Amino acid sequence: MKHTLAVNVENRPGVLTRIAGLFARRGYNIDSLAVGKTDNPLISRMTIVVDGDDRVIEQVSKQLYKLIDVIKLTDLTTEEYVDREMILIKVNADPAIRGEIMQIVDIFRARIVDIGKNTVIIEATGDESKINAIESALRPFGIKEVVRTGRIAMSRGLKNKNYKS
Amino acid sequence: MTSKNPINTAQPEELTGAQILLKALAAEGVEVIFGYPGGQVLPIYDEIYRTKNITHILTRHEQGAVHAADGYARSTGKPGVCLATSGPGATNLVTGIANAYMDSVPIVAITGQVPSALLGRDSFQEADIVGITTPITKYSYLVKDVKDLARVIHEAFHIATTGRPGPVLIDIPKDITTEKTEFIYPPSLELPGYRLKSTVNLEQVNKAAEAIVKAKQPVLFVGGGVISSGASEEIGKLIELTDIPLTYSLMGKGAFPDNREQCLGMLGMHGTAYANYAAYESDLIFGIGVRFDDRVTGRLDTFGTQAKIIHIDIDPAEIGKNVQVDIPLAGDVKKVLQELNKVLENKGYRPAIEPWKQKIAEWKNKYPLKYETVPGVIKPQFVVEQIYAATNGEAYICTEVGQNQMWAAQYYSSLKPRNFITSGGLGTMGFGLPAAMGVQMAHPEAVVFNIAGDGSIQMNSQEFATIVQNKLPINVAILNNHTLGMVRQWQELFFDKHYSHTSMTGQPDFVKLADAYGAVGLRVEKPEDVRPALEEAISSPKAYILDFIIEADEKVYPMVPAGCSINNMLGR
């Protein structure tokens, strides 16, 4: 089963290597890894998607927690969360078929962010299945280039346990 | 401090990075550094030249330096420090760092690095040592600003010595060692991701106590964590309260005296038959500061299948890593055991295990550790026993790796912790001799033996020079069978006696080698000469190499073939 881990780490040099290296040498498979700063410039947030049974995920979590740069780790899979991925797709788009592409873009609530002579670049965000769907919907036109961010995720609502609605 | 210039009293003194390093090491209580100079650490060595309060030992190879720091740390519990230059100096530390990492030994390795401006250009003697050692250190630093240096050193010692101990590396570019800044040793540490568990889960402790009192066939299985946590007294108390038989991993040797009735010796591949049977048939395995290594468990799906497993470890990642644990107890062994002992004592819990003890006594009787004696032939086990007898078990024993190590573990009775120094997890040939230097530096008055094989001793024999230069009275007992004995044993048992490249012909004459270095060498070929040779070496202030000629076919038994259940032993 795929698990989505939210990992807050110290924003220090080498931290990505330490995390990625840990996965590599212990044989855990990373599906995706997205990193960026948080509101606190000293802390970065990583969203790691990893595949494995409960024992594997428990080991992954414990080993990650052991790293001195790791401040907090949450397995979002066990709670309500939203996740997003972003994709940029460059597809063949002769002027004759641009209308058709624009329809698909509308259906997926995506956007065209660049038009070239014979290509367009489309930007879309959504969960993994939506991104997969738009990618396959555009494939018949001839995809020139694809780049995806990997998943980022956040738990829903207030995490404060004393909060009563 | 008074100053002639009143203006300077307000302005704290600015120091170079090298000066800061030495001051910080002194502040951490470092007394000895094992190292080897080179281009990028010249400013540090210039500062060492001026420093009075720290002894520097020049080894003959950086690997010798890191193992010496390791031996120092294992025998004292204090962090060991080694120093090497950039590039090849740093990479020569790698084996020793990995060795310390596998056995959770606190060392701080300091490496020189090319000047910041040359970093990343494949400069002369540049190696990305932080990158190379990341998987084998607890943490590693590349210092990019001299202002960070004092903090980094403070953090490094803290990380190396607390929690589950381990090696920390500090890589310092040359320009950082010459730049100046104010020396402020940070009073506190900011490591938000480094949590040390200080509380004990009493609910879990109670569960463990209840499981113990209900057990019919329990076994304690102790590891190196008991020694590094200083929990031997608590183990003694636990045994006093429960009388449960105890077995240990190689790293746990010395945690509880070998000569006590409840001690079953080592568990696992070359463990005693009675320890292996006890663990195999046990209904409660209580792992204490141990990581259930594959050399111990044998085939995992048959290990402790009838047993409830309690596991104490300071590293939560160890709990459930190899075996499924029923009652996990994450925390410092000493603290957890103190709480557990309290509960056992207050509730008067004592398991009823008379029949179990009886059964174990029968196994002990039926399958003792044994070897055949042949007139006129020196048996390696006999040499080890004689080292014990000649030193009353008070010597520090270092070992190399292979048959020599296993015979030492089986036949030398350790009576207290930190006396048996061996490379457990990594199994590093060449470890024992330099480790013995570290041990002898820490304990100048003690008798130190390195039990070696003729193969292993040649892996770092250059350190005889360091030993002689520093007048260290180390005794090396080579169990010389002219082969790579352990590999040969496997070849004999599992590879149809294809002795592929295990015959060590072309060896040096070890007596002459000792002589060449200014030590004393003795070749011993008869059993009756073993003890006198040992006595001579022990009583002499000189370093000794004792070359005990043993036969090549002697094997380490019992032996659990790799991948088998631990009740499945050859030569028991």
Side-chain angles (χ1 to χ4, degrees), chain A residues 10 12-14 17-18 21 25-26 28 55 58-59 62-73, chain B residues 134-135 138-141 151 155 159 164 190-195 315-317 319-322 324:
Chain A
E10 285 202 59
R12 292 203 202 188
T17 316
R18 280 177 221 277
R25 73 176 173 276
R26 293 201 182 262
Y28 309 135
R55 277 200 75 177
E58 190 188 335
Q59 253 309 297
K62 283 174 168 177
Q63 294 290 351
L64 279 173
Y65 237 120
K66 224 168 106 167
L67 294 180
I68 284 151
D69 292 324
V70 172
I71 299 166
K72 189 169 189 293
L73 183 150
Chain B
T134 294
K138 192 170 170 192
Y139 204 63
S140 48
Y141 293 91
R151 172 184 61 79
E155 282 181 9
I159 292 170
R164 179 180 185 169
E190 284 286 324
L191 289 163
Y194 188 56
R195 291 155 299 265
D315 179 357
I319 298 176
K321 187 182 79 178
N322 294 335
Q324 293 272 25

